Amino acid sequence: MSIYKRLEELQITLPPVATPAAAYVPFVQTGNLVFISGHIAKKDGQAWTGQLGKNIQTEEGKAAARAVAIDLLGTLHAAVGDLNKVKRIVKVMSLVNSTSDFTEQHVVTNGCSELLGQVFGASGVHARSAFGVAQLPLGACVEIELIAEVA
């Protein structure tokens, strides 16, 4: 099945590539690998702010990570022109703005990982890291970067 058909079934519209907020580019391709720069969680077009373990619960963080995955897919589409060219999602790295005693960064990150699995099937299963950090740009609750292999 086409990746775009899956996105349609999931009622997902790919967003345009966001303008970088600092001195970097949204993506770089080298060989068959595409490296997508970190994307922060957004809600209603603004940074989705807060800190897990303080004023955001795990389920909301998971929804934020899912929102980041949608933005990452929009950038990946812009990078390769056709998501059907994606052979595999190789790696996801997630940074979760969290208190020192919050320990569910991996559950928050599942919001991204589960969506990638729904969209790409077995090719969406990836290696992953999930870190708790003291703060993220603009106070965002989650930031995620992605590496994909393309045909």
Side-chain angles (χ1 to χ4, degrees), residues 8-80:
E8 185 180 313
E9 288 175 356
L10 294 167
Q11 299 179 338
I12 292 172
T13 301
L14 295 178
V17 177
T19 303
Y24 64 91
V25 294
F27 59 86
V28 171
Q29 183 170 352
T30 181
N32 289 347
L33 294 178
V34 179
F35 294 77
I36 306 294
S37 293
H39 284 46
I40 62 169
K42 293 181 184 168
K43 187 177 192 177
D44 301 323
Q46 301 296 317
W48 193 329
T49 61
Q51 190 173 50
L52 278 290
K54 181 178 180 184
N55 54 9
I56 293 183
Q57 300 302 312
T58 301
E59 283 305 308
E60 184 180 355
K62 190 174 175 181
R66 184 183 189 280
V68 175
I70 293 169
D71 284 347
L72 288 165
L73 290 173
T75 302
L76 184 56
H77 168 78
V80 301

Side-chain angles (χ1 to χ4, degrees), residues 63-139:
R66 184 183 189 280
V68 175
I70 293 169
D71 284 347
L72 288 165
L73 290 173
T75 302
L76 184 56
H77 168 78
V80 301
D82 182 354
L83 290 176
N84 291 300
K85 293 180 181 177
V86 174
K87 290 177 65 176
R88 176 164 200 108
I89 302 300
V90 177
K91 173 107 192 240
V92 164
M93 188 183 77
S94 174
L95 304 170
V96 179
N97 182 352
S98 53
T99 60
S100 62
D101 61 344
F102 183 80
T103 60
E104 294 188 329
Q105 290 83 1
H106 62 294
V107 179
V108 168
T109 305
N110 282 347
C112 174
S113 296
E114 290 169 359
L115 180 65
L116 293 173
Q118 289 176 316
V119 172
F120 293 103
S123 297
V125 178
H126 50 270
R128 187 177 91 174
S129 300
F131 299 95
V133 297
Q135 192 54 267
L136 288 169
L138 306 176

